[in-house]
Amino acid sequence: MNSQLLPDQAIPPLGLNSPAIEDIFIHLRHSLALRTTSIPTPPSDHTSPAKFAILFSGGLDCSLLARIVHDLLPLNEDVDLLNVAFENPRVLKAANAIINSSTAGYLQCPDRITGLSSHAELQQVCAGRTWRFVSIDVPYTETTDHRPQITSLIYPHNTEMDLSIACALYFAARGKGNVENHASNEPEQYTTPARVLLSGLGADEIFAGYTRHATAFARRGYQGLSDELDLDFHRLGKRNLGRDDRVISHWGREVRYPYLDEDFLHLALKLPVWEKCGFGQQQVTPSRSLEDCSTDIEKGGVEMLEPSKLLLRLLAYKLGMHSAAAEKKRAIQFGARTAKMEAGKTKGTQKIAPCSRED
C-alpha cells in the first residue's frame, strides 16, 4: 500500500480530467482482456452460449467491468449477468407482505432493482450485444435446504456474515434462474453454460468503498484511511478469497478477479489515497469537474457522486455509465437479502451452528 507522506498543500479535487483515470482504465482494460478474450466456447445447446458470466448486483464495480468488457469482445458474443435475490421472511414480515411463491418480494430486493437499472443502462450504452440478465430467485426453503452444504464449504470460516455472503455467491454461481423470452415476453428457465465468472472483489478494499473507510478518514484523516485500506487489502486472502473460491468452484466454475490483477494492483496501490477517493474534497458533479462535458448532462439528471471509490465512479461516468457511477455501496448480504433471515438480534460476527464437514 502507498506510504506516501501526507500532502503539504491543498489537494485538487478529482475530476474527469484527472490523469489517474486514464491510467486505471488502461490497466483495468488489460486485466479484463487477459481474463475474457481467450475463453473457449463451453458445451451448450444454446445458439450463442456465453463464455463467461458476471456476478452482477448492478453496482459500480461489476457494471464498470461489464462496460469495459463490451469494448473487448465481438458483438456476437453474449454476456450473462447473474443477479441473485432471496426470499427473506423477516424482511417480508416487517413490510407486512404476503409471501407469494411466484414473486416472494424478489423484485423489491435492492440488488434486483439496481441490477435491472444497470442492465437497462448497459443495453443503451453498449447497444448491439445480448446482455442476458439472469434472475436467480431463491426461496427461503431452498436456502435452508442448502445451508449445511454451504456451511461445510466455507469452513473454517464460521460466522453469520460469512454464511450470508457465501449464500449469495453459492446460488449466483449455480447460475440457474430465469431470463426474459423476447418472443413471448414471459420468463423462461435458464442455466448459464459459462465456466468462468467475473467478480468485482477488491475494488472496495483498494479504492475505499466501505463505510468504515469514511469513518477512518473522519477520525484520523488520510493517515487513518490509508492504514484502514492497508489492513483491508492484506487480509483479503484470509477473509475472502479462499471462502469465495470454495463456494463458487463447488459448481464447477472458476472465478476471476480483474481488480486483483498484479499489474493493476501495482498501479492502484501506488496511488495516493486522495487520488482514489474523494474524502476531504468538495463533493462534485462530473459537470462541475469538467465544464465541456456539461452539455452531456441532462438538467438534474446526475446526482453528485459519492466520495467513496470516486476514481472508479468518474471512470464509469466517463464511459457513459452515468447511473451506475452514482450507485451507493451496498454489502452483498444486504443487497441480496441473505442477512438476518430469522427474527432476533443476530450479529454478523456471531458463530454459526457447527456442521459436520463433507469429504
Side-chain angles (χ1 to χ4, degrees), residues 251-302:
W251 299 109
R253 306 189 200 275
E254 175 191 340
V255 60
R256 298 180 180 180
Y257 304 101
Y259 291 108
L260 297 182
D261 174 82
E262 187 173 356
D263 290 336
F264 180 80
L265 285 175
H266 183 70
L267 167 68
L269 296 180
K270 285 198 307 181
L271 289 174
V273 290
W274 52 88
E275 289 189 19
K276 295 190 282 188
C277 58
F279 297 118
Q281 304 175 25
Q282 181 183 14
Q283 195 176 15
V284 296
T285 60
S287 59
R288 189 185 303 164
S289 303
L290 190 63
E291 290 78 2
D292 60 4
C293 280
S294 60
T295 55
D296 297 334
I297 302 173
E298 297 180 5
K299 294 181 180 179
V302 176

Side-chain angles (χ1 to χ4, degrees), residues 24-193:
I24 283 293
F25 171 64
I26 292 172
H27 283 73
L28 187 54
R29 178 186 170 95
H30 178 67
S31 171
L32 278 163
L34 289 174
R35 288 160 176 81
T36 60
T37 56
S38 60
I39 303 172
T41 303
S44 174
D45 294 331
H46 200 277
T47 54
S48 181
K51 295 180 179 180
F52 67 90
I54 302 175
L55 299 173
F56 193 77
S57 67
L60 169 67
D61 309 331
C62 58
S63 297
L64 181 57
L65 295 181
R67 171 61 187 87
I68 297 176
V69 154
H70 176 69
D71 295 333
L72 296 171
L73 303 177
L75 283 178
N76 62 353
E77 289 194 15
D78 298 355
V79 176
D80 285 352
L81 307 174
L82 307 180
N83 181 274
V84 65
F86 285 75
E87 177 188 358
N88 187 314
R90 185 186 61 83
V91 173
L92 294 174
K93 182 178 180 181
N96 294 319
I98 299 175
I99 299 179
N100 183 308
S101 60
S102 63
T103 60
Y106 300 123
L107 290 176
Q108 285 72 48
C109 196
D111 277 2
R112 181 58 48 81
I113 295 171
T114 55
L116 289 170
S117 173
S118 294
H119 175 234
E121 187 169 42
L122 277 172
Q123 289 179 308
Q124 180 180 2
V125 176
C126 305
R129 181 183 309 284
T130 297
W131 298 98
R132 190 178 293 109
F133 189 87
V134 185
S135 299
I136 301 171
D137 300 336
V138 186
Y140 176 66
T141 53
E142 192 168 9
T143 302
T144 56
D145 287 346
H146 286 258
R147 178 183 169 115
Q149 176 68 72
I150 300 170
T151 302
S152 176
L153 288 169
I154 66 175
Y155 181 85
H157 295 273
N158 62 348
T159 68
E160 288 290 340
M161 181 182 294
D162 287 312
L163 182 61
S164 296
I165 294 171
C167 277
L169 294 175
Y170 177 87
F171 285 102
R174 185 173 66 169
K176 180 180 178 181
N178 294 309
V179 296
E180 182 181 353
N181 185 317
H182 295 288
S184 63
N185 289 325
E186 293 292 332
E188 63 180 20
Q189 290 188 346
Y190 173 83
T191 299
T192 181

Side-chain angles (χ1 to χ4, degrees), residues 209-220:
Y210 293 120
T211 301
R212 62 176 175 269
H213 297 142
T215 302
F217 177 80
R219 291 176 175 173
R220 296 181 52 227

Side-chain angles (χ1 to χ4, degrees), residues 329-355:
K329 167 63 185 177
R330 184 169 47 244
I332 185 173
Q333 64 269 34
F334 298 111
R337 288 184 172 172
T338 57
K340 300 182 178 180
M341 287 196 171
E342 290 82 21
K345 296 183 179 180
T346 303
K347 295 183 179 180
T349 54
Q350 181 175 320
K351 297 290 191 295
I352 57 179
C355 172

